[in-house]
Amino acid sequence: MVKIKHIEINGLRGIKKTISVSLDSSQSILIFGENGSGKSSITDAFEWFYNDKVEHLSSEEIGRGGIEALRNIFLQPDQEAYAGLKFSESKYNSIKKLFYNKSKLSTEIDNSTKEFEDYINSSTSENLILRYGDLLKFILASKGDKLRGISQIIGYEEVQKIKEIFKRAVNDVKREIKLKNFEGQTSNRQTQMLTQTEQMIVDDRGYFDAIKRLVEPLNLSAEIMSHENIESVLKTIEQPENRELLALYLSFETTLSKLDNFIILVEKTKKSYNKFIEKYQKIIEDSEKLKKINLEKLISEGINVLERSLFNENKCPLCLQVKNRDELISELRQRIDELKHIKNEKEETEKDRQLTKRLIQDIINELASILKEKCINIQENIVIKEEIQKVLKDVLAESEEIEKYDYSKEIQIKSIDKFLLYDEIKLAEIKRIIDEQIKQKTAEKKEDVRFSISKKIALTRQAYFDYLILRKESEILQQQIESLGIIYNHFIKKQKEALGLFLKTISKDTNDFYIYMNNNEAIDEIQLIPMGEEDELIGLTIQFKFHEKTVTPPNKYLSESHLNCLGICLFLSSIKAFNKLNKFFILDDEASSFDIPHRIRFAQLLLDKFEDYQIFLFTHDQDWFEYLSNFIKGKNWITKRIFWDNENGTEMEEPLLDLKSRIKNKFSNSDPTDLGNMIRRYLEGLLKDISYNLGVKVEFRYNDLNENRMSNELLSELRHKLINMECKLKDAPELTKLMGSIFLGNKTSHDSSYTETISDLQTFYADILALEKTFYCEKCNKTISKKYYDSVKKEIRCSCGAINYSWK
Amino acid sequence: MDNEIKSGHQIVKEFFAEIEKIEGVNKNIADVLARLYKEDKLTDANIVNELEKLKQEKLRG
């Protein structure tokens, strides 16, 4: 798992000049900085590095992703701002830059590998940063937003999407079965078989039996125990001259059957159409609803245009008003959400329209099929054919007309009594004619026993095969529904198990952490509880035991600091649950609302439960910082202080040793850049250390002024102390030289007209090192200190005594 | 049920990897769904179309 080895930030937010921190990749870091010193600039840099935006800076005024606010305002236009991270896995090392490219802010990352891209993409679903302002977001969110928040983290939307697809597929197949009306059609075939054989046929045995009885009068010796037997018998008894007639009979029967089916289909279609126009009418009669529906189309298209980056500028694509693109998308989505119930109503109406269209198509297919029938295409039935063609034309017109119902226009709705009109009398007449033709042909062949029997066999066979196909089709569809149903239920089960496990784990951890921080308080059994029906999850709520009573929601019962505590516990438990890639996280000023006992337990929690994590902990609270500094001593942590000044922006206080090495490097390379300031900082650090050890008192100042003492002030007070203690160092030439040095300078000074040369700085630095040698022992690596005061000899000395001076 | 928390994507991926092992499910249907998922074509319309093809094949058979 990934940890950070090195951070380098330049030109972002308050960080004007480069600050950098090197971490042994298992080290955690505690950073202290007053408000406004730039701690959150570091957090912002991280957030931008991983998410390409800074959430709290994203606003209508600032612009997309908050990027416009990210760049330090004192940077020159041609200067690059950047955040560079080195990781425990060096393949992810990279620097992300922010710069102007033809007056447009652009970003660039120097690591273009697929591995890095995958790493960043995966990291976006991990919780890495918690700011104070975000503590209560999840707790105070609505139950739907809580579910959405968790869904986003664990990718639950994909599960929802698949579930919906399965559900729709099952419903589609069920609808197909209903539309086919298998029961009606199989019943119809059985009636036909009954008419021909006077027997109810449901299986092969019954069929063979019925055919056997039909051929009995012919005294054939043939066995009838298979379909092949029946084919063979038909061939035997069929007379070639009767083949045409037989085909015609089959066509007559089929046509009658299809005409009956046509009538059933028309009834079904009318019912469906009625449902559609009722819903449609309800929508268009409500003008407000109508406006919203029309608006929904525009808004959806707007989101589509923006998300596909067809319009990339920070403007509304319609009115061209300046508008942050991400914000605009978010607002549009919110409005779509608000229109959701209207959208659902419209979708239900559209489903009815689609069903009606489908049924109309079935009617068209049936009529087209009738027109192909042999019996319809004989000379004597030309008029019947023309009638059916007319009906088909009218049905085709209905199919086009139903498309015209548009929510944006006023259209005359065709009432149900005018929909799919056909001349029922004419249809009855057609059926009668065909019936008559059947009877006439039957009468002509009354004496022909063989023909009569072969006709019955042929009609029975046709009906039986149709029956078998219908039965088989129905069975197949039933099996499909069954299989889909099993798959759907199994999927729901998996989804519930997974979500249940996740909620159980995160609830347990949250509860454990909370109790760790709040033992002896009447809160227990914190749980994230899903809300909704069997397979329809609508939200999450946080439930817990409060004085033995199960209650929800937390904000009803808990104080702000307890809610903040709960927020931290949720965040920490989500780290344990989700962060599989990164083993670090940032806590930016989290403990502000806690009292001392809770802060202590918070510190203990972090070290106890997250000791293998790399933690970036920021605070502005001096007492908390000092407590933590002691608490983490001997553990794998480093501490840093940051401060801000007008000239240099955010700076990180360096340990003197590191600063000394850097100064040495600068001299080796004859590089005067920033060298004067580095030397002055070194002197300040040295004087603070000496003053601390000798108990030098300086006048109290408020806030950062108290921290940022000028060297001349410290030197002056040090001198006073030495004089008061009658220490010979009061006259030390090193002290006098420095006090008079023109390079001491004022940290905030910008108007020095004198440019320091390397040579000047070398002299200045040499004086500082000389002063250091006076107070600092290189043998024991300790500054002379009151701690080592010898009250007998009245001497102040270093730890080993190699350096000592009289001290009153 | 193992105790590792899984992302939604993992849940879905694992589900389709084992779909044909679900008891009582027609193997052809399971295969079709797994294939559609793999090809990123899993929609209700595609499922219905594929089921129709399976139905026609079986009717012909």
Side-chain angles (χ1 to χ4, degrees):
Chain A
M1 286 178 81
V2 177
K3 291 185 181 177
I4 310 275
K5 276 179 68 171
H6 184 85
I7 308 161
E8 192 165 306
I9 304 169
N10 177 289
L12 295 175
R13 298 290 283 159
I15 302 167
K16 183 177 166 189
K17 294 189 177 176
T18 308
I19 64 163
S20 66
V21 179
S22 285
L23 301 158
D24 155 350
S25 54
S26 59
Q27 277 179 323
S28 293
I29 180 167
L30 170 64
I31 296 179
F32 169 80
E34 296 283 353
N35 284 331
S37 60
K39 303 183 297 300
S40 293
S41 300
I42 300 172
T43 312
D44 290 345
F46 265 96
E47 190 179 340
W48 171 65
F49 185 92
Y50 279 96
N51 301 334
D52 206 29
K53 63 178 178 178
V54 183
E55 194 68 50
H56 77 96
L57 296 177
S58 301
S59 74
E60 182 185 342
E61 288 176 87
I62 292 174
R64 188 179 167 192
I67 305 301
E68 277 79 8
L70 200 53
R71 218 175 116 85
N72 182 277
I73 59 167
F74 295 112
L75 279 191
Q76 297 302 315
D78 60 342
Q79 279 179 287
E80 285 175 342
Y82 64 83
L85 294 179
K86 286 185 182 167
F87 298 91
S88 53
E89 292 187 43
S90 57
K91 60 186 172 185
Y92 301 138
N93 292 355
S94 55
I95 298 175
K96 186 169 182 175
K97 295 178 191 171
L98 183 64
F99 55 92
Y100 277 107
N101 183 6
K102 290 176 190 167
S103 70
K104 197 180 168 192
L105 263 183
S106 303
T107 58
E108 194 180 87
I109 301 179
D110 68 349
N111 188 333
S112 56
T113 62
K114 180 85 176 46
E115 286 165 315
F116 177 73
E117 192 188 331
D118 290 344
Y119 165 67
I120 289 292
N121 287 338
S122 300
S123 296
T124 54
S125 63
E126 295 195 350
N127 273 337
L128 299 177
I129 299 170
L130 184 64
R131 298 176 195 261
Y132 180 72
D134 298 334
L135 275 176
L136 298 186
K137 250 190 199 166
F138 184 80
I139 296 169
L140 299 180
S142 68
K143 56 179 182 282
D145 283 342
K146 280 196 192 65
L147 177 61
R148 264 187 286 279
I150 295 288
S151 296
Q152 266 177 341
I153 293 171
I154 62 172
Y156 187 75
E157 301 104 329
E158 190 175 348
V159 172
Q160 269 298 103
K161 186 181 150 198
I162 301 293
K163 193 191 88 175
E164 289 304 313
I165 288 171
F166 281 153
K167 204 172 176 177
R168 281 199 297 269
V170 168
N171 288 337
D172 285 347
V173 179
K174 278 184 180 168
R175 193 168 47 237
E176 183 70 20
I177 290 179
K178 208 172 160 186
L179 285 175
K180 285 269 180 175
N181 186 26
F182 286 109
E183 224 176 90
Q185 288 197 69
T186 50
S187 172
N188 175 276
R189 297 312 186 272
Q190 279 176 322
T191 305
Q192 286 174 16
M193 290 188 284
L194 190 64
T195 307
Q196 302 304 324
T197 66
E198 292 173 10
Q199 273 180 246
M200 181 57 83
I201 300 170
V202 294
D203 54 23
D204 278 359
R205 194 173 151 184
Y207 172 58
F208 300 148
D209 206 45
I211 302 296
K212 209 189 278 183
R213 280 173 201 245
L214 280 178
V215 302
E216 258 172 18
L218 297 176
N219 291 318
L220 299 173
S221 57
E223 246 185 358
I224 309 222
M225 288 180 69
S226 70
H227 292 284
E228 288 77 23
N229 293 156
I230 292 169
E231 292 306 308
S232 182
V233 160
L234 256 179
K235 275 198 179 111
T236 307
I237 64 176
E238 210 176 61
Q239 289 140 331
E241 64 273 20
N242 288 331
R243 267 192 206 124
E244 266 300 302
L245 188 57
L246 205 54
L248 198 57
Y249 260 105
L250 288 170
S251 178
F252 280 139
E253 293 292 340
T254 304
T255 304
L256 283 176
S257 180
K258 285 179 179 178
L259 286 170
D260 286 338
N261 198 34
F262 163 80
I263 295 168
I264 294 170
L265 279 172
V266 166
E267 283 313 303
K268 272 196 191 156
T269 312
K270 281 185 168 184
K271 279 186 188 156
S272 174
Y273 177 77
N274 201 34
K275 272 173 84 176
F276 161 64
I277 56 165
E278 272 178 3
K279 288 180 183 164
Y280 178 81
Q281 196 132 15
K282 217 171 141 192
I283 291 173
I284 60 166
E285 275 170 5
D286 184 338
S287 60
E288 275 308 306
K289 206 180 267 186
L290 199 57
K291 273 186 212 163
K292 285 177 180 175
I293 283 180
N294 290 321
L295 210 51
E296 186 268 330
K297 269 197 293 193
L298 175 65
I299 297 172
S300 292
E301 190 52 35
I303 292 173
N304 186 33
V305 163
L306 291 167
E307 283 186 338
R308 286 169 57 204
S309 299
L310 297 174
F311 187 85
N312 258 332
E313 298 171 54
N314 279 320
K315 287 181 186 171
C316 166
L318 284 182
C319 66
L320 299 180
Q321 188 189 356
V322 170
K323 184 87 187 171
N324 173 268
R325 186 173 164 279
D326 285 344
E327 265 186 28
L328 181 57
I329 292 175
S330 175
E331 274 174 27
L332 291 177
R333 284 205 176 284
Q334 210 174 325
R335 287 173 70 186
I336 287 281
D337 271 348
E338 286 162 15
L339 296 173
K340 215 175 183 174
H341 72 279
I342 296 173
K343 195 181 173 191
N344 285 344
E345 218 178 302
K346 186 185 166 196
E347 277 173 5
E348 288 302 311
T349 309
E350 284 307 302
K351 272 186 192 165
D352 287 326
R353 188 210 301 251
Q354 291 310 315
L355 181 60
T356 308
K357 276 175 64 180
R358 156 73 197 272
L359 288 165
I360 292 174
Q361 188 58 46
D362 284 349
I363 295 172
I364 292 168
N365 292 344
E366 195 76 298
L367 289 170
S369 160
I370 291 172
L371 286 170
K372 287 181 188 161
E373 283 294 333
K374 197 179 182 67
C375 68
I376 296 297
N377 286 290
I378 58 178
Q379 190 59 37
E380 59 201 279
N381 286 339
I382 281 183
V383 173
I384 290 177
K385 185 172 181 177
E386 283 168 4
E387 282 300 326
I388 293 171
Q389 279 170 336
K390 189 172 167 296
V391 172
L392 176 58
K393 195 175 162 193
D394 291 342
V395 174
L396 283 165
E398 293 288 15
S399 167
E400 284 172 16
E401 198 159 318
I402 199 173
E403 286 294 350
K404 291 181 187 163
Y405 293 112
D406 184 336
Y407 302 94
S408 65
K409 292 182 255 190
E410 283 230 23
I411 295 193
Q412 189 72 18
I413 299 174
K414 185 184 264 187
S415 62
I416 185 69
D417 50 327
K418 289 193 176 126
F419 175 71
L420 274 183
L421 283 182
Y422 67 92
D423 193 334
E424 288 178 26
I425 296 169
K426 272 200 177 140
L427 183 67
E429 179 61 18
I430 289 170
K431 285 177 70 177
R432 191 197 63 76
I433 291 169
I434 292 174
D435 240 347
E436 275 301 316
Q437 288 172 346
I438 291 172
K439 282 178 184 156
Q440 188 198 344
K441 303 289 180 203
T442 308
E444 281 169 17
K445 284 286 188 176
K446 195 170 63 176
E447 305 301 323
D448 191 341
V449 172
R450 285 179 96 97
F451 175 79
S452 179
I453 291 170
S454 62
K455 183 195 79 172
K456 286 186 181 190
I457 293 171
L459 288 171
T460 307
R461 181 184 65 175
Q462 180 168 278
Y464 184 63
F465 283 171
D466 281 351
Y467 168 81
L468 286 178
I469 289 171
L470 285 165
R471 217 175 61 176
K472 194 172 180 185
E473 195 179 343
S474 172
E475 279 168 10
I476 293 170
L477 286 172
Q478 288 294 351
Q479 275 171 11
Q480 287 182 347
I481 286 185
E482 215 178 286
S483 283
L484 282 179
I486 293 171
I487 289 168
Y488 178 74
N489 288 338
H490 209 82
F491 188 78
I492 295 293
K493 191 178 161 202
K494 280 280 171 203
Q495 172 209 309
K496 273 188 169 167
E497 279 172 4
L499 185 66
L501 176 62
F502 158 69
L503 291 177
K504 189 177 163 190
T505 306
I506 201 166
S507 297
K508 183 183 178 308
D509 281 345
T510 303
N511 191 57
D512 287 349
F513 296 156
Y514 190 89
I515 290 175
Y516 192 109
M517 286 184 63
N518 301 277
N519 56 358
N520 300 326
E521 292 183 22
I523 294 164
D524 198 356
E525 292 183 30
I526 298 170
Q527 285 180 283
L528 283 167
I529 303 286
M531 298 173 74
E533 298 297 320
E534 259 302 302
D535 62 347
E536 206 59 57
L537 200 59
I538 57 167
L540 293 175
T541 190
I542 303 172
Q543 172 185 291
F544 58 103
K545 272 225 164 93
F546 187 56
H547 294 281
E548 303 293 315
K549 203 173 145 197
T550 301
V551 297
T552 185
N555 43 311
K556 194 171 166 185
Y557 300 90
L558 303 181
S559 68
E560 188 189 332
S561 71
H562 282 104
L563 286 173
N564 288 341
C565 182
L566 183 57
I568 290 180
C569 294
L570 275 163
F571 175 79
L572 293 174
S573 58
S574 75
I575 286 170
K576 290 265 187 188
F578 301 126
N579 294 11
K580 307 289 179 212
L581 195 48
N582 294 296
K583 198 90 175 177
F584 70 90
F585 57 90
I586 298 163
L587 297 174
D588 189 348
D589 245 338
E590 295 320 313
S592 307
S593 74
F594 294 166
D595 56 22
I596 304 233
H598 281 94
R599 287 183 183 190
I600 291 170
R601 286 200 278 275
F602 177 51
Q604 287 167 344
L605 175 71
L606 287 179
L607 264 67
D608 185 10
K609 304 289 182 189
F610 292 87
E611 60 174 334
D612 53 339
Y613 281 78
Q614 186 181 42
I615 304 173
F616 292 72
L617 189 55
F618 303 163
T619 184
H620 70 270
D621 189 304
Q622 177 74 44
D623 293 336
W624 175 227
F625 174 71
E626 279 174 15
Y627 171 80
L628 280 171
S629 301
N630 270 323
F631 191 70
I632 57 180
K633 258 190 193 146
K635 296 180 176 63
N636 202 12
W637 280 71
I638 63 170
T639 58
K640 292 279 181 191
R641 286 173 180 265
I642 59 172
F643 55 90
W644 193 87
D645 77 40
N646 285 336
E647 190 182 339
N648 299 310
T650 298
E651 291 188 279
M652 193 165 271
E653 197 179 72
E654 285 185 78
L656 292 183
L657 201 59
D658 290 353
L659 189 52
K660 202 170 188 177
S661 309
R662 286 174 61 210
I663 292 170
K664 195 177 167 185
N665 264 342
K666 287 273 183 184
F667 277 125
S668 310
N669 297 326
S670 298
D671 177 8
T673 341
D674 204 37
L675 183 53
N677 282 333
M678 286 166 69
I679 293 171
R680 276 185 278 277
R681 283 211 305 273
Y682 187 81
L683 175 61
E684 278 157 28
L686 176 65
L687 287 172
K688 280 180 191 171
D689 184 49
I690 295 170
S691 301
Y692 175 73
N693 279 292
L694 298 187
V696 172
K697 285 186 173 53
V698 288
E699 196 179 320
F700 173 79
R701 302 268 161 78
Y702 281 101
N703 298 328
D704 59 327
L705 291 173
N706 206 37
E707 181 58 31
N708 295 337
R709 296 298 190 173
M710 298 301 123
S711 295
N712 50 4
E713 192 185 353
L714 288 168
L715 277 168
S716 179
E717 294 304 329
L718 172 62
R719 190 58 160 328
H720 275 129
K721 181 73 177 185
L722 294 170
I723 291 169
N724 289 343
M725 295 293 119
E726 292 173 12
C727 177
K728 70 176 185 186
L729 286 177
K730 65 182 179 4
D731 298 320
E734 299 84 3
L735 200 57
T736 313
K737 263 192 202 172
L738 277 174
M739 284 181 78
S741 173
I742 63 165
F743 300 115
L744 205 56
N746 183 324
K747 269 205 286 197
T748 62
S749 167
H750 292 281
D751 11 288
S752 172
S753 55
Y754 183 84
T755 310
E756 301 154 335
T757 64
I758 281 275
S759 175
D760 292 332
L761 292 172
Q762 271 170 341
T763 309
F764 181 39
Y765 189 57
D767 290 341
I768 293 170
L769 292 181
L771 182 77
E772 185 180 46
K773 225 171 165 177
T774 315
F775 290 89
Y776 183 81
C777 174
E778 278 169 10
K779 270 196 199 160
C780 63
N781 290 320
K782 296 278 188 217
T783 307
I784 59 168
S785 174
K786 288 189 314 180
K787 275 194 302 204
Y788 314 117
Y789 179 64
D790 186 341
S791 57
V792 172
K793 290 183 182 175
K794 288 201 183 339
E795 276 179 356
I796 197 166
R797 57 186 177 85
C798 65
S799 166
C800 69
I803 302 177
N804 55 74
Y805 303 103
S806 61
W807 196 262
K808 194 172 89 173
Chain B
M1 179 174 87
D2 64 70
N3 286 324
E4 191 201 321
I5 291 181
K6 293 174 187 168
S7 68
H9 179 68
Q10 271 176 300
I11 293 166
V12 169
K13 198 173 169 187
E14 283 176 13
F15 178 83
F16 282 100
E18 295 174 353
I19 192 172
E20 57 183 28
K21 294 181 193 164
I22 301 174
E23 216 177 286
V25 169
N26 177 281
K27 190 180 179 307
N28 290 334
I29 293 176
D31 286 347
V32 149
L33 294 179
R35 176 173 54 79
L36 286 174
Y37 174 71
K38 194 176 171 187
E39 293 171 2
D40 199 24
K41 289 178 181 171
L42 191 75
T43 64
D44 50 315
N46 285 346
I47 292 173
V48 165
N49 287 341
E50 291 295 324
L51 289 178
E52 177 64 25
K53 283 181 197 167
L54 285 177
K55 183 187 86 178
Q56 293 301 333
E57 267 171 36
K58 228 174 171 178
L59 284 172
R60 278 194 295 270

